[in-house]
Amino acid sequence: MFKRWGRFVYRRRRWVAVVALLTAGVSLTFAARVSSVLSTGGWYDPSSESQQVVSRLAADFGQSGGSMVVLFQAPGRSDASSPSFQGEIATATAGLRSDPRVASIVGYAQTGDPAFVSTAGDAAWVLVSLNMSQDEAISAVDSIGAEIATPAGFSVALTGEAPLSAAISAQSEKDLARAETISLPIALVILVLVFGSLVAAGLPLFVAGLTIPTTLALVWVLAQQLTMSIFVTSVVTMLGLALAIDYSLFMVSRFREELACGASVEEAVEQAVATSGKAVAFSGTAVAIGLSGLLLFRAPTLSSMGIGGALIALCSVAYALTFLPAFLGILGPRIERLKVRMPSVPARWSSPAVAAANGEVAADEFAAATPTPAPTPAPTGLWERIASAVMRRPVAVMVPVLALLLAFGLPFLGERGGLPGANVLPSASQARQTWNTIESAFPAGETSPIDVLVTVNGDPLSSSNATELADYSAQLSVLAGVSKVGGPFSLSDPTGAPMPASAVSATLSAPASSRPAALNALIAAEVHGSTVHLQVVSPLAGTTAGQTLVQTIRGLNAGPGLRVAVGGADASSFDFLQAQNAELPGAVAFILIAMALMLLVQFGSAILPLKAVVMTLLSLTASFGALVWIFQDGNLSGVLGFSSPGFTVAIVPILMFSIIFGLSMDYEVLLMSRIQEAYRRDGDTTQAVAEGLSRTGRVITGAALIMVSVFAAFGTGDLIIIKSLGVGMAIAVLLDATIIRALLVPATMRLLGRRAWWAPARLSWVTGRLGFSHVATEYECDAPQAEPERRDEGGRRGILAPPTPESAAG
């Protein structure tokens, strides 16, 4: 099937190349506008209790996500609650009051609430609510901020939801540009070292340049209907650079190797597509399926990252199987143009075909070294020597390596998941610094209260309902960790002591004309129909103890006539973590089963998929441990330039799991495909493993170095979400491409022997009929031998070597 596709692309190579270039060119127009339709929100499940509270607050109480906090600081003063101080704030914000985008301005002057005044009396803040959504407010932050005058002797700074979101969006674009600036030159240098030719080295980068805009254009289309996270661009670019370059590296390497074997350009294109192209198709599909597991999560941020990751994987495959073979067919031997003379890997480190393809030995020397009439033993190279050494003592290698990987994973046992707030930004960010000032210099928890919506039967201000609501407010106020309960049902007498429920009821049920004006204003703001909005203030806000308090409130018996819904930042974080933990087993099972089935179809073996899954889990275990050790515990924070939030960002491990499981298929499919080719010739698993590593070691090393450099480049960013994801995946790929592929795979394959290829006869017949078997050529560099007997050592029926198309058909 893949060989026929390679023949089709070659014979229509100019048309295919032109269509691919036009597609990428048109995509650039939409890709340039993608950031304008992405969201900084989408972290939470819209159906959760906390998000239902958010929706009701916006619809019924006018508290939309578009808001900002304006901090006024006057060093040396201590009269922030005085009329003069508040008068200067009123003058400074006068321009905002006439702005139709501003819904309200609330501070100490409007409420008399000491929460708006710093404990030292040198600062005060006001909450500016906007008539727009959070995403709309992001673009309005600068223009609204420009309307605020700065009084003499004051400093003015913005923070809150809209300014923080705007800062995150700007930082994300800055980090993305930095990562591209770092990773692209490094990738080019590695490609030149691998190929020794600027033309060959530049081709993978060019394919990446086609793939990423096309994917971003598709993201733009989907964002018209779905909530797509701002972090999708980072995920798409990160994976696009890694996958498109790696897939092109595999294809170009095989194409050059086939030319070196004496194939015509058409034959080289066909065989490259039939072998490396097949591996690329399976690998890309595996990445897409792995990331599709994120669609099982209801939080739009996670699901949108899954969509973006799946799209970039499929687009990488599409260009690798269309434009790339077409352009290789156009270039032909000119792929070797613009040779770069530099120290290269000695020819003795590579197999003859790879050495010839890389120009390390002359083609006639290669032909003489590999006579066609009879098989010749492959020369011993670096990777083959490593594999042979491992397979001589597989147990002695496997046991300490397994122990080391498991030891690296031990810190993950203490993993604590959390969602970052302002601390997602670098410490130098003004929005973060301002938020930290409000958190530390003002009464704790005031900016992040727990929102409690209480619905009653009838009028909340009736005597009976007011009594019940006052009792419930009093019940909340005495909970451990609660400093106060805000709302019209928690009143104080002239001495400052809490009023009993009966007195509160009598005050509220009285005619509005007899109530204080401030109380009437509070009722207007916090009572809508039969629903009342209470705000539970706690110094525990933003901690795991704050989430525990949310559970306590939800577990209270409010009374038969009251229906309670709890929201707020801590409730949202708790609901997210609960939902993620509930959805995680299904997503993990989906990814594991999908990966195993992909490998089953690819290799026709029931054992190899299990081996691959276990190997990938081992590399992930070690990288998860490193993630916790670095970012949760704060080790290497000085080197990497971050401050630890004290937890692991909750979405990072599941993102790593989904991405790495797919990426590991790159090396698994490429390596095992070459091992399978060698095994089909002589039925010797040990020799096949050594030859497979010899033939793919250089390519896998180059591909892994490119992936590691790309991921590590994103690790230089300042947003801790992308930084931790980049560093974690760089570690995982490095472990997978070195310890796993060079040590554990040879040791495991040696211990399994011919059993590695076993599958029930019926299953093997099915996989053979699917047409993914090895494609033989008339110019292979190693002469084929008879296929080995298809019985295990005990004579039982089973397939120890995957069937050829002819035997499967027979």
Side-chain angles (χ1 to χ4, degrees):
M1 180 176 74
F2 284 92
K3 187 170 186 178
R4 289 195 298 271
W5 175 251
R7 185 180 305 121
F8 172 84
V9 171
Y10 176 80
R11 292 179 180 177
R12 293 163 179 81
R13 55 192 178 277
R14 289 180 175 80
W15 281 106
V16 171
V18 169
V19 170
L21 290 172
L22 287 175
T23 300
V26 172
S27 298
L28 280 171
T29 303
F30 302 99
R33 295 152 49 189
V34 70
S35 61
S36 64
V37 295
L38 300 180
S39 171
T40 57
W43 286 94
Y44 309 110
D45 174 13
S47 64
S48 66
E49 180 178 339
S50 58
Q51 296 312 293
Q52 293 298 312
V53 170
V54 171
S55 299
R56 292 172 63 188
L57 286 173
D60 299 338
F61 295 87
Q63 297 185 14
S64 65
S67 65
M68 61 177 64
V69 170
V70 185
L71 175 65
F72 293 87
Q73 292 179 285
R77 295 182 63 171
S78 59
D79 61 338
S81 59
S82 68
S84 61
F85 197 108
Q86 292 298 316
E88 292 183 88
I89 291 177
T91 302
T93 57
L96 297 181
R97 300 181 191 282
S98 59
D99 191 327
R101 298 173 295 177
V102 177
S104 66
I105 301 175
V106 178
Y108 180 82
Q110 290 74 35
T111 64
D113 190 341
F116 290 98
V117 176
S118 67
T119 54
D122 60 346
W125 62 275
V126 296
L127 176 66
V128 180
S129 297
L130 306 175
N131 291 315
M132 57 186 71
S133 68
Q134 180 176 332
D135 287 330
E136 292 170 335
I138 292 174
S139 58
V141 167
D142 290 339
S143 61
I144 292 177
E147 295 177 353
I148 303 172
T150 302
F154 281 69
S155 65
V156 178
L158 302 181
T159 189
E161 294 181 2
L164 286 171
S165 297
I168 290 172
S169 180
Q171 189 64 52
S172 176
E173 293 182 5
K174 186 185 299 183
D175 288 352
L176 185 59
R178 179 193 299 169
E180 291 174 337
T181 302
I182 294 173
S183 61
L184 288 176
I186 295 175
L188 179 59
V189 170
I190 295 171
L191 288 168
V192 170
L193 288 173
V194 171
F195 291 131
S197 159
L198 286 177
V199 173
L203 197 50
L205 292 176
F206 188 72
V207 173
L210 301 177
T211 303
I212 294 173
T214 302
T215 306
L216 291 177
L218 293 174
V219 169
W220 180 87
V221 172
L222 291 175
Q224 308 304 313
Q225 301 297 326
L226 303 174
T227 299
M228 302 292 284
S229 170
I230 189 70
F231 295 111
V232 169
T233 55
S234 295
V235 170
V236 165
T237 305
M238 185 190 305
L239 290 180
L241 290 173
L243 293 176
I245 293 175
D246 272 14
Y247 293 165
S248 302
L249 173 61
F250 298 161
M251 293 283 289
V252 173
S253 295
R254 189 61 185 249
F255 174 76
R256 296 171 73 232
E257 185 176 336
E258 296 301 329
L259 286 180
C261 287
S264 65
V265 174
E266 180 176 3
E267 290 171 332
V269 169
E270 290 179 11
Q271 190 67 1
V273 174
T275 53
S276 292
K278 179 179 68 172
V280 163
F282 272 85
S283 175
T285 305
V287 174
I289 290 175
L291 284 160
S292 296
L294 295 177
L295 295 176
L296 298 177
F297 294 91
R298 293 189 293 270
T301 293
L302 270 174
S303 59
S304 65
M305 288 185 181
I307 292 171
L311 286 175
I312 190 64
L314 295 177
C315 286
S316 297
V317 171
Y319 278 105
L321 294 181
T322 54
F323 171 78
L324 185 56
F327 201 68
L328 288 173
I330 294 172
L331 283 176
R334 287 173 293 185
I335 190 72
E336 306 296 343
R337 292 279 180 88
L338 302 180
K339 285 284 189 182
V340 177
R341 296 300 176 185
M342 60 177 61
S344 61
V345 177
R348 68 179 181 276
W349 287 10
S350 305
S351 68
V354 175
N358 290 324
E360 295 167 7
V361 296
D364 54 350
E365 295 176 16
F366 165 70
T370 55
T372 302
T376 58
T380 300
L382 173 64
W383 290 100
E384 190 170 356
R385 288 202 301 272
I386 292 175
S388 298
V390 169
M391 288 187 288
R392 281 196 295 270
R393 297 176 180 83
V395 175
V397 171
M398 178 178 287
V399 171
V401 169
L402 286 176
L404 185 64
L405 290 175
L406 293 175
F408 284 166
L410 286 177
F412 192 63
L413 296 176
E415 189 262 352
R416 298 184 302 276
L419 291 180
N423 56 0
V424 70
L425 289 164
S427 56
S429 167
Q430 185 189 56
R432 175 178 175 176
Q433 288 178 347
T434 305
W435 183 264
N436 290 342
T437 298
I438 291 177
E439 290 285 289
S440 60
F442 289 76
E446 293 286 354
T447 53
S448 301
I450 298 173
D451 295 306
V452 181
L453 294 182
V454 187
T455 304
V456 300
N457 297 318
D459 182 7
L461 301 182
S462 68
S463 179
S464 59
N465 283 335
T467 300
E468 284 194 69
L469 287 166
D471 283 335
Y472 180 64
S473 294
Q475 189 180 3
L476 293 175
S477 66
V478 298
L479 291 176
V482 173
S483 55
K484 73 174 184 179
V485 177
F489 297 89
S490 299
L491 303 179
S492 301
D493 61 23
T495 66
M499 292 174 59
S502 58
V504 172
S505 175
T507 302
L508 294 176
S509 60
S513 59
S514 65
R515 296 192 298 251
L519 179 58
N520 285 333
L522 186 60
I523 291 172
E526 306 295 6
V527 177
H528 178 83
S530 60
T531 301
V532 175
H533 177 212
L534 306 178
Q535 292 184 308
V536 179
V537 177
S538 170
L540 305 177
T543 66
T544 54
Q547 296 178 26
T548 302
L549 179 58
V550 168
Q551 299 176 65
T552 302
I553 294 174
R554 287 177 174 174
L556 286 177
N557 182 8
L562 306 183
R563 298 181 297 279
V564 176
V566 182
D570 286 328
S572 295
S573 296
F574 175 76
D575 289 345
F576 175 88
L577 295 173
Q578 289 294 103
Q580 179 177 270
N581 292 338
E583 295 154 358
L584 188 60
V588 169
F590 170 81
I591 293 170
L592 293 180
I593 293 172
M595 296 300 104
L597 289 176
M598 288 289 296
L599 292 173
L600 177 64
V601 172
Q602 167 76 3
F603 297 113
S605 164
I607 305 301
L608 289 180
L610 298 177
K611 176 196 72 68
V613 166
V614 172
M615 296 294 172
T616 305
L617 285 174
L618 286 170
S619 65
L620 276 171
T621 297
S623 57
F624 283 170
L627 185 73
V628 170
W629 187 78
I630 295 172
F631 291 97
Q632 178 175 300
D633 299 342
N635 296 292
L636 305 183
S637 58
V639 176
L640 296 176
F642 72 95
S643 56
S644 172
F647 54 78
T648 302
V649 179
I651 67 170
V652 171
I654 184 59
L655 273 174
M656 282 180 56
F657 185 90
S658 302
I659 294 172
I660 294 301
F661 241 98
L663 293 181
S664 68
M665 296 302 105
D666 272 358
Y667 312 124
E668 182 71 19
V669 171
L670 182 67
L671 174 59
M672 296 309 300
S673 294
R674 296 308 290 262
I675 292 175
Q676 188 182 65
E677 288 181 40
Y679 179 74
R680 286 177 179 277
R681 290 198 309 270
D682 53 25
D684 185 339
T685 299
T686 301
Q687 179 57 35
V689 170
E691 181 179 332
L693 273 172
S694 176
R695 287 181 177 273
T696 61
R698 181 178 180 134
V699 175
I700 287 179
T701 301
L705 287 175
I706 289 171
M707 276 199 181
V708 169
S709 65
V710 168
F711 295 152
F714 279 85
T716 64
D718 290 323
L719 287 177
I720 197 168
I721 296 175
I722 299 302
K723 177 187 285 287
S724 58
L725 182 63
V727 172
M729 292 204 302
I731 294 172
V733 170
L734 189 61
L735 290 173
D736 191 76
T738 54
I739 294 178
I740 300 296
R741 302 299 157 201
L743 301 178
L744 282 187
V745 168
T748 305
M749 292 295 290
R750 174 66 180 85
L751 293 173
L752 289 173
R754 296 181 65 197
R755 291 183 292 274
W757 309 102
W758 180 87
R762 190 179 301 275
L763 177 62
S764 204
W765 180 86
V766 171
T767 56
R769 296 290 292 179
L770 291 176
F772 295 120
S773 300
H774 171 65
V775 180
T777 66
E778 296 178 357
Y779 54 85
E780 288 201 45
C781 301
D782 299 284
Q785 292 184 357
E787 187 176 319
E789 177 66 27
R790 299 177 180 226
R791 291 180 180 273
D792 62 18
E793 286 84 347
R796 293 181 295 274
R797 293 182 62 190
I799 304 299
L800 296 179
T804 62
E806 294 78 8
S807 63

